[in-house]
Amino acid sequence: MAERSTAAVDVADNSGETSLTAKADQSTADGVANNRERDTDSDEVQETTRPDGSEKASPPELHSGHKLARRYRLEECVTRLDGFSSWRAVDEKLRRAVGVHVLPADHTRARSVLAAARSSALLGDPRFVQVLDAVEENDLVYVVHEWLPDATELTTLLASGPLEVYDAYQLVSQVSAAMAAAHREGLAHLRLNPNAVLRTSTGQWRIRGLAVNAALRGIKSDTPQRTDTEAIGALLYAALTQRWPYESDAYGLSGLPKDVGLIPPDQVRAGVHRGLSELAMRALANDGATASRHESPCTTPEELVKAIGEMPRIRPPEPAFTAPPEYQRTTYQQGTYGRQAPHPGVTQPVSAPPSPLQSRTGKALKWAVSALLIAALGLGSWQLADALMDQGGKADNTDRTQTTDGNDKSPKKPVSGKPIAISSARDFDPFAADGSEKPSDIGKVYDDSTATYWQTDYYLSADFGRLKSGVGVILDLGKVQQVGKVTVTFVGDTSVELRSASADAASEPTSFESYTKVAEGSGATVELKPGKTLKTRYVLVWLTKLPLQPDDGKWRGRVADIKVTS
């Protein structure tokens, strides 16, 4: 099968360039807070002619404070290279930081950059830094993407040393799975390097510049899957050894010694995990031959994912336990408070501490216990006498007729633990424009089957991409009833709140403020018990934090079943 990349459509010819991963080219067009983007070419130098003598398109004359589409305010230029510039900007409409690539509309690569950006945006995979907009306007072409203030480049992480075994395993697992998904959609990266891989504060790995970084520089490949797979191998090699697996230095890492060839990571650094070392070598195959000692090379991200799945799973390290310091008695407890300090060289007699019950506190404790025992005996005697008198009174009245018909006006207490039938349910998304979220499957939350579920839309993070505080399901119990417990079964660990409408509500409330939080919890099966007696007809199961679903790699909530009991 022909392996032609669609990552950058109609890109300029780049046949004269060498392998991307072998080359020490550190340029990147995306940004992370506190991590300026780096490029091997100086940001200050601007060439005006191409190697073939043709004129190169000049970058647009932009400055800090300039606005694009009356929305994106440019703040800081982080890259200026080869006719395009990259900026940290602010989306004034949504009040968030974004990154922007800008180049002239008549630039030779403007069309391919737009095509690559739009293809990348259609993928919608949260493992990649998302393209938010791609526009041609006023003789400019610009691409807007996410800006991750809480993420750190792999380059920065490796500056302090190689990664721990578990972190390196997570890196290669998540990056390989993400690139396999991208290649299934016909997209390639072609510039996958330590500057393009980021770790967020939650430990997730994100990839930036899918298709776009290569299109900005006119890079293409006849074997894009091989190129990206070798790049993943180089990332893993660097994570294990803090060395770049080629002779040249790159990304702040030292290269391998000259004339020794590609040597396995476990021969470069002691203590490297053997399985990960061989995995890196299988991905770093050269010209179809592998430097690994046993296994065949991996030539596609899909093969790399399969090889990782065949390895014994590497588990996270156990948290270190620090023993608490030995308890030190104070001078007051030791009985030396207020005494004169002993003279040096004089042996002081050590008196035995008094028996605990012989001290003043011990005597008071004995009296208190004695008083409690006397009070308990008196109370018990009084209750016994009262019970005997009640039984005698009942024996005297055996000839009297006891009636238990409907004339008894005493209120009946509700039976706790009794199942309450759910009359109906409705999806509830008050912070969205349409106020709805996947309504067609809402009946699956109370169909008495955990094999089916209602699921939310997917988001870019566990906190709904910071777009909203949550989504939920409103349950109608048919009438006002006492609710003792609501049990919710999820697919994946989910954080959830139980909220209730007022018992006086004549109809189902439609605003979030009409529901009061009465319980919360998290997990795959969560029992939500109100802290006090709750009577209501309408309850809201409100999801506040979503799990990452393993089958599609996206953050979304899935509610399999809801049970309500009194």
Side-chain angles (χ1 to χ4, degrees):
M1 179 177 69
E3 192 184 334
R4 186 74 176 177
S5 171
T6 60
V9 182
D10 298 329
V11 295
D13 182 25
N14 193 45
S15 58
E17 297 192 16
T18 57
S19 171
L20 298 176
T21 51
K23 199 176 165 191
D25 185 358
Q26 302 185 35
S27 62
T28 180
D30 300 284
V32 176
N34 302 323
N35 289 317
R36 277 185 170 269
E37 301 176 15
R38 296 170 293 281
D39 211 300
T40 51
D41 299 320
S42 171
D43 288 352
E44 304 299 328
V45 177
Q46 292 295 306
E47 299 181 8
T48 58
T49 59
R50 300 181 182 278
D52 58 6
S54 61
E55 291 293 328
K56 179 188 295 186
S58 299
E61 293 297 330
L62 302 173
H63 54 82
S64 297
H66 184 92
K67 285 188 181 181
L68 300 173
R70 299 181 181 180
R71 176 175 179 177
Y72 304 111
R73 185 180 75 248
L74 303 183
E75 293 285 317
E76 179 185 11
C77 183
V78 291
T79 298
R80 192 183 298 275
L81 179 71
D82 197 16
F84 73 88
S85 59
S86 299
W87 296 76
R88 177 176 60 82
V90 174
D91 182 348
E92 294 187 335
K93 185 175 182 180
L94 297 180
R95 297 182 181 179
R96 63 178 178 181
V98 294
V100 182
H101 306 306
V102 187
L103 67 164
D106 59 354
H107 194 288
T108 55
R109 295 193 288 273
R111 294 292 169 269
S112 60
V113 169
L114 278 175
R118 289 165 181 168
S119 299
S120 178
L122 290 174
L123 181 61
D125 192 320
R127 292 171 291 192
F128 295 93
V129 174
Q130 299 294 295
V131 172
L132 305 176
D133 208 352
V135 181
E136 179 179 357
E137 181 184 65
N138 298 331
D139 298 326
L140 291 177
V141 167
Y142 57 89
V143 176
V144 183
H145 60 84
E146 284 184 291
W147 188 274
L148 306 178
D150 65 338
T152 307
E153 292 178 357
L154 179 60
T155 307
T156 304
L157 296 173
L158 293 179
S160 58
L163 300 185
E164 296 292 334
V165 173
Y166 178 74
D167 292 333
Y169 173 72
Q170 288 294 313
L171 165 69
V172 69
S173 300
Q174 295 182 31
V175 172
S176 299
M179 289 310 305
H183 279 283
R184 284 194 293 269
E185 299 298 326
L187 292 171
H189 196 291
L190 305 184
R191 281 189 55 80
L192 199 56
N193 55 48
N195 292 339
V197 179
L198 319 167
R199 187 172 69 181
T200 66
S201 58
T202 60
Q204 299 296 317
W205 293 92
R206 302 282 297 275
I207 302 171
R208 66 184 175 193
L210 177 67
V212 176
N213 277 8
L216 283 167
R217 292 163 178 80
I219 297 172
K220 64 180 180 179
S221 172
D222 290 330
T223 57
Q225 296 207 53
R226 173 66 260 170
T227 300
D228 283 342
T229 304
E230 185 176 349
I232 297 172
L235 293 175
L236 178 58
Y237 196 105
L240 295 173
T241 65
Q242 201 187 10
R243 300 287 292 268
W244 193 236
Y246 303 98
E247 291 185 355
S248 55
D249 299 344
Y251 312 108
L253 303 173
S254 301
L256 298 178
K258 298 184 182 299
D259 303 325
V260 300
L262 184 62
I263 54 179
D266 55 1
Q267 294 184 16
V268 174
R269 192 180 193 93
V272 171
H273 188 276
R274 178 69 176 272
L276 292 178
S277 175
E278 293 197 357
L279 188 67
M281 297 301 288
R282 293 176 66 183
L284 283 168
N286 297 310
D287 299 325
T290 178
S292 178
R293 289 161 287 197
H294 304 291
E295 301 290 343
S296 59
C298 297
T299 58
T300 67
E302 199 72 55
E303 292 179 0
L304 201 54
V305 170
K306 183 179 179 181
I308 294 170
E310 294 172 350
M311 289 176 53
R313 185 169 182 176
I314 299 176
R315 301 193 176 277
E318 295 292 336
F321 174 76
T322 304
E326 185 179 354
Y327 175 72
Q328 298 291 332
R329 298 178 65 186
T330 65
T331 55
Y332 182 81
Q333 291 171 318
Q334 293 171 352
T336 60
Y337 181 77
R339 296 182 184 177
Q340 296 182 352
H343 297 285
V346 179
T347 302
Q348 299 294 325
V350 179
S351 59
S355 173
L357 293 180
Q358 296 300 322
S359 63
R360 181 178 299 176
T361 303
K363 293 179 179 179
L365 181 61
K366 286 193 295 183
W367 280 109
V369 172
S370 300
L372 287 175
L373 288 174
I374 294 171
L377 288 172
L379 180 61
S381 301
W382 176 79
Q383 288 180 338
L384 179 60
D386 186 62
L388 292 173
M389 291 177 65
D390 286 345
Q391 289 182 0
K394 290 180 181 179
D396 293 338
N397 296 324
T398 53
D399 57 336
R400 298 182 183 178
T401 303
Q402 300 291 327
T403 60
T404 58
D405 57 11
N407 294 326
D408 188 1
K409 303 299 182 179
S410 60
K412 296 181 179 179
K413 295 183 179 179
V415 180
S416 62
K418 180 181 178 181
I420 298 177
I422 299 174
S423 177
S424 63
R426 182 176 72 84
D427 59 300
F428 188 58
D429 190 4
F431 303 111
D434 58 359
S436 180
E437 182 131 350
K438 303 286 187 183
S440 59
D441 292 332
I442 198 65
K444 296 177 180 179
V445 303
Y446 63 105
D447 61 356
D448 295 326
S449 173
T450 57
T452 60
Y453 52 78
W454 167 80
Q455 68 177 1
T456 68
D457 292 324
Y458 75 85
Y459 296 88
L460 300 181
S461 62
D463 57 353
F464 298 87
R466 299 181 182 176
L467 298 176
K468 60 184 76 171
S469 62
V471 296
V473 178
I474 296 177
L475 306 176
D476 183 356
L477 305 182
K479 61 181 180 180
V480 175
Q481 303 191 56
Q482 180 170 319
V483 177
K485 180 176 66 175
V486 176
T487 305
V488 188
T489 303
F490 297 101
V491 179
D493 288 349
T494 307
S495 295
V496 63
E497 295 177 355
L498 179 65
R499 293 176 170 265
S500 69
S502 170
D504 300 329
S507 60
E508 178 186 303
T510 57
S511 67
F512 181 72
E513 292 74 16
S514 300
Y515 295 89
T516 304
K517 184 170 75 170
V518 296
E520 63 182 341
S522 63
T525 300
V526 185
E527 291 187 351
L528 300 168
K529 297 181 179 180
K532 57 183 179 180
T533 302
L534 172 64
K535 289 187 177 182
T536 184
R537 174 176 175 176
Y538 303 100
V539 294
L540 170 61
V541 177
W542 185 248
L543 282 61
T544 59
K545 190 172 183 181
L546 306 177
L548 183 66
Q549 298 296 344
D551 57 349
D552 60 4
K554 296 178 179 178
W555 300 95
R556 65 167 84 234
R558 291 175 176 170
V559 182
D561 189 53
I562 301 178
K563 299 290 186 186
V564 183
T565 55
S566 61

